[in-house]
Amino acid sequence: MPGKFVITKTPKGFYRFSLHAANYQTVLTSKNYSSLATCRDGVETIKKNALAPVEDQTLKNPEALKYPKYEVYFDSAGKYRYRLLASNGLNIAMAEDGYATKSGCMNGIDAISRAAVDATVDESALEQ
């Protein structure tokens, strides 16, 4: 069962989306977009890049990969995090919280990959 992108409007008039896995867990939340069109473009960018390879920057000698890619790295607190970089190198998604283990971080990436590719888009919250 595919995931679902849910587009909402913030109280300040911005648009954002969340990606929900098949089990309804939120696996990604976007930045704020100034227009619905750019928010929809953001959804498409995530869908297009969700299956990108992973560059593990926590290794001593990481292999540098071309864009698009996920980067796994240590944050300032020493926790594992990821970011998804589009084909132009722009950061389009990142882990909101650090992970205690690399496997947890990799599971977060896997959840995005599984949920995003065939995900539907729900804009019903905009009609309220």
Side-chain angles (χ1 to χ4, degrees), residues 12-24:
K12 293 191 175 185
F14 292 101
Y15 295 88
R16 66 183 337 182
F17 62 83
S18 296
L19 174 59
H20 300 245
N23 65 359
Y24 305 105

Side-chain angles (χ1 to χ4, degrees), residues 3-104:
K4 183 191 302 187
F5 286 96
V6 178
I7 297 178
T8 57
K9 195 169 186 179
T10 70
K12 293 191 175 185
F14 292 101
Y15 295 88
R16 66 183 337 182
F17 62 83
S18 296
L19 174 59
H20 300 245
N23 65 359
Y24 305 105
Q25 180 180 351
T26 300
V27 296
L28 180 145
T29 301
S30 76
K31 64 179 187 169
N32 287 337
Y33 292 90
S34 57
S35 74
L36 180 56
T38 55
C39 187
R40 287 175 176 149
D41 289 346
V43 167
E44 291 307 313
T45 301
I46 296 292
K47 288 174 88 167
K48 185 170 126 185
N49 294 287
L51 297 176
V54 176
E55 179 179 296
D56 187 350
Q57 297 180 348
T58 67
L59 300 175
K60 192 170 190 171
N61 295 308
E63 178 187 352
L65 301 177
K66 293 181 180 180
Y67 301 116
K69 64 183 174 183
Y70 289 93
E71 291 178 341
V72 173
Y73 62 98
F74 289 116
D75 65 13
S76 59
K79 294 195 172 203
Y80 292 91
R81 285 193 186 254
Y82 64 80
R83 59 185 153 240
L84 175 56
L85 304 173
S87 54
N88 60 5
L90 288 178
N91 185 353
I92 56 173
M94 67 186 100
E96 288 188 42
D97 299 312
Y99 293 87
T101 65
K102 186 188 290 187
S103 64

